[in-house]
Amino acid sequence: MTEKNIKECQKSLDFVLGWFAKPIFIDGDYPESMKSNLSSLLPEFSEIEKKYIKGTADFFALSFGATLSFQLLDSHMKFQQLESISLRQLLYWISSEYNNPEIFIVENSWFVSGSTKRDDAKYIYYLKKFIMETLKAIRYDGVNVFGYTVWSLLDGFEWHRGYSIRRGLFYVDFQSHDKKLMPKSSVLFYQKLIEKNGFPPLPENQPIEDIFPCGFAWGIVDNYIQWLDGFDMVEV
């Protein structure tokens, strides 16, 4: 968390989000970090053009998920950056940076292995985490998020990753002639979530802070294979 690193992080976000968001939601012009680094390439806007550009979006449409092309980069090109699933942090940053716009999450997901069938517990974990972070951003951080969309309905072709990963709520059997569709466990999870409009304060949804009863037994179990001379294998 040095001043230099913070500036570099800001620059990175400016070049991805600020390129469009600052002109539309703030003042009609590009971020200063882009203007100072790309002054010979960026067009200059007149004051009339700035006024015309500013405020031309009805809402901030955010797509958040794994950048599959990021994995193609050589390690020295990543500049020690890592992909993050911290959606809440990004939502708060957008809200703070661009005057608390209305945000619609138009795409959000992560990926799981292509060998995953219909029991996609790991995908449900990601989905639940993203939606809970969205709710926290709304309730605790005051971020103005008004909609959420999962990506995607079906498994599909994932560019350079091909069919080696899956991101759909419905399993697609790519080996079958008719590409048979089957609902995954995540479909039921998302359906119930929508029915309840989130995570209502049910007992099973509540965190617990307490200690176990006195005398409660803790332990670790393991097993290993032992060979005995003149005897068969024994499992201990």
Side-chain angles (χ1 to χ4, degrees):
M1 291 296 290
T2 65
E3 182 178 353
K4 179 182 178 182
N5 285 342
I6 292 173
K7 287 183 178 180
E8 290 300 315
C9 289
Q10 177 72 30
K11 185 192 300 183
S12 176
L13 288 166
D14 283 344
F15 273 59
V16 177
L17 293 179
W19 181 12
F20 306 98
K22 186 174 179 291
I24 294 174
F25 292 97
I26 301 297
D27 58 7
D29 203 359
Y30 293 115
E32 291 301 320
S33 62
M34 294 190 70
K35 293 167 68 174
S36 61
N37 285 271
L38 303 172
S39 57
S40 62
L41 301 176
L42 292 178
E44 293 186 10
F45 297 133
S46 66
E47 291 304 316
I48 295 177
E49 288 173 326
K50 292 178 183 178
K51 292 180 180 179
Y52 177 80
I53 295 170
K54 180 181 178 181
T56 50
D58 295 321
F59 53 85
F60 194 114
L62 175 65
S63 175
F64 182 83
T67 306
L68 301 184
S69 58
F70 184 79
Q71 300 172 24
L72 293 177
L73 296 175
D74 294 333
S75 58
H76 69 277
M77 290 296 294
K78 295 182 179 180
F79 301 103
Q80 299 181 341
Q81 296 184 95
L82 300 174
E83 287 186 298
S84 172
I85 60 175
S86 298
L87 177 57
R88 180 183 176 186
Q89 288 183 325
L90 181 60
L91 290 171
Y92 181 78
W93 185 86
I94 292 172
S95 177
S96 301
E97 191 79 2
Y98 303 119
N99 294 331
N100 194 25
E102 289 187 297
I103 301 173
F104 183 19
I105 301 174
V106 295
E107 286 183 358
N108 177 226
S109 76
W110 212 257
F111 61 87
V112 295
S113 169
S115 63
T116 304
K117 303 297 183 182
R118 298 176 61 187
D119 186 10
D120 56 344
K122 189 173 183 180
Y123 187 87
I124 293 176
Y125 163 78
Y126 286 129
L127 186 58
K128 183 176 182 180
K129 178 177 176 60
F130 288 136
I131 295 174
M132 291 192 77
E133 289 208 340
T134 300
L135 184 58
K136 289 178 181 179
I138 295 170
R139 295 301 189 193
Y140 301 150
D141 305 330
V143 180
N144 193 4
V145 184
F146 71 90
Y148 179 90
T149 305
V150 174
W151 177 266
S152 65
L153 180 64
L154 309 174
D155 292 330
F157 182 77
E158 297 290 349
W159 302 104
H160 73 277
R161 299 293 295 273
Y163 300 106
S164 64
I165 61 173
R166 294 179 181 269
R167 292 200 277 186
L169 295 174
F170 279 79
Y171 175 82
V172 179
D173 184 358
F174 296 113
Q175 303 301 320
S176 65
H177 177 73
D178 57 353
K179 305 297 184 287
K180 186 178 180 180
L181 303 180
M182 292 174 282
K184 301 180 187 178
S185 300
S186 53
V187 169
L188 180 60
F189 168 78
Y190 195 51
Q191 178 187 28
K192 294 297 183 182
L193 185 97
I194 293 173
E195 289 177 357
K196 297 177 180 178
N197 198 29
F199 306 95
L202 302 174
E204 59 268 27
N205 290 339
Q206 299 305 301
I208 182 170
E209 294 182 3
D210 206 337
I211 60 174
F212 284 87
C214 293
F216 186 85
W218 299 96
I220 300 174
V221 66
D222 197 1
N223 65 74
Y224 65 93
I225 304 299
Q226 182 178 6
W227 290 93
L228 301 178
D229 292 339
F231 295 92
D232 293 334
M233 179 179 63
V234 177
E235 184 175 356
V236 180

